Amino acid sequence: MMRFNSTYLKLTGFYVLIIMAISIGFSVAIYRISAIEIGRGLGRQSRMLQELSQTNNPFFQDFERIREQQIEDSNNEIRTKLYYFNLLILLLSTVGSYYFARSTLKPIEESYESQQRFTADASHELRTPLTAMKTEIEVALRDEKLEIGEAKELLNSNLEEIDKLEQLSKALLKLAKTDAAIKDDFRDLSLKEVLAESIEKVAPLAEKKAIVLASDLAELQAKGDKQSLGELFVILLENAIKYSPAKSKINIALQKIENHNVIRIKDRGIGIKASDLPHIFERFYRADHSRNKEKVDGYGLGLSIAKQIAEMHGGKISVTSTAGRGSEFVVKL
Ligand code: ADP
């Protein structure tokens, strides 16, 4: 992503600048110290040589010139080594910093992208019913012979769209709220009670399709937010009903398995294709139901809300499903 590429480079440059400032600072200090040490060492040698030179041996005449040459050579050698050392540090720190900058920014980039996608999807979903309503109203207003019956039909259709918008804004609000939920609000509660209440809520929906809700609930306690957990169960139950044929059966179980409170909701509905399975918990994701005769309403937000609620309670939702056979959603808390 372009925006992040320049951030990677900026951060890399920043890291390299800091590392190089330290490395060059140290190098200068090392060079100074070693230059002084070399000067001292050779100074001692030269004093010895000076004493020897008093013997008038011609071999020792040139010692002063040699000594300076030696100091110069040693300093040059140290300078060259430090130069290459810093070059190596520059190379390594550039590669290392870029890698470090990428791994630091990766999660931020991912969450930024998902937020962007979410905003785009949300505004698309909000615009669609609005555009439909606007067009209908404009057409009706242009019709000079509009009758009361037609006007009522229009209002009814608008009301439907408004209902959808209301549902959508509620779901969006719920997603935002669960994002910011605080665990301080958690209370001791009976999971059996919460689940039984959720089953009661969706019972009329099941009745309409003559679906049997068979439940087997153990008396289990947990800490959590009652309302959110209720919503989580309702989402899973409503889906099981929505995606099941009439007169089928849905099994609901609450059990303790290996220290976990486990809720299972098993339907015998249309199931989920293997290619859809990894995506169904994503916001706005809906499997393709176009082959179904009757289109099923929804925005693809339910499961992402359910997942968020489960995670907020330190839990997880998993699903096993076979297309055409049915699905089983398992919540482990
Ligand atoms: P919605 O139901 O509003 O489309 P969800 O987030 O609740 O959104 O579900 C996402 C998708 O997962 C659905 O569109 C559907 O394709 C699939 N799905 C969820 N639950 C079931 C189920 N019990 N049986 C079959 N498909 C399901």
Side-chain angles (χ1 to χ4, degrees), residues 235-236 239-240 242-243 267 270-272 280 282 285-289 297-304 321 327 329:
I235 289 169
L236 296 181
N239 276 351
K242 260 186 351 190
Y243 300 109
D267 66 55
I270 61 170
I272 302 162
I280 56 168
E282 288 168 15
Y285 189 86
R286 303 199 72 206
D288 184 18
H289 304 296
D297 266 352
Y299 286 103
L301 288 177
L303 285 182
S304 51
S321 182
S327 318
F329 283 82

Side-chain angles (χ1 to χ4, degrees), residues 307-324:
K307 183 178 165 215
Q308 228 167 273
I309 296 173
E311 281 171 1
M312 179 179 124
H313 286 83
K316 256 196 224 160
I317 305 185
S318 58
V319 55
T320 45
S321 182
T322 318

Side-chain angles (χ1 to χ4, degrees), residues 15-29:
Y15 289 152
V16 170
L17 212 68
I18 293 175
I19 296 171
M20 287 320 293
I22 295 172
S23 172
I24 290 172
F26 267 112
S27 300
V28 169

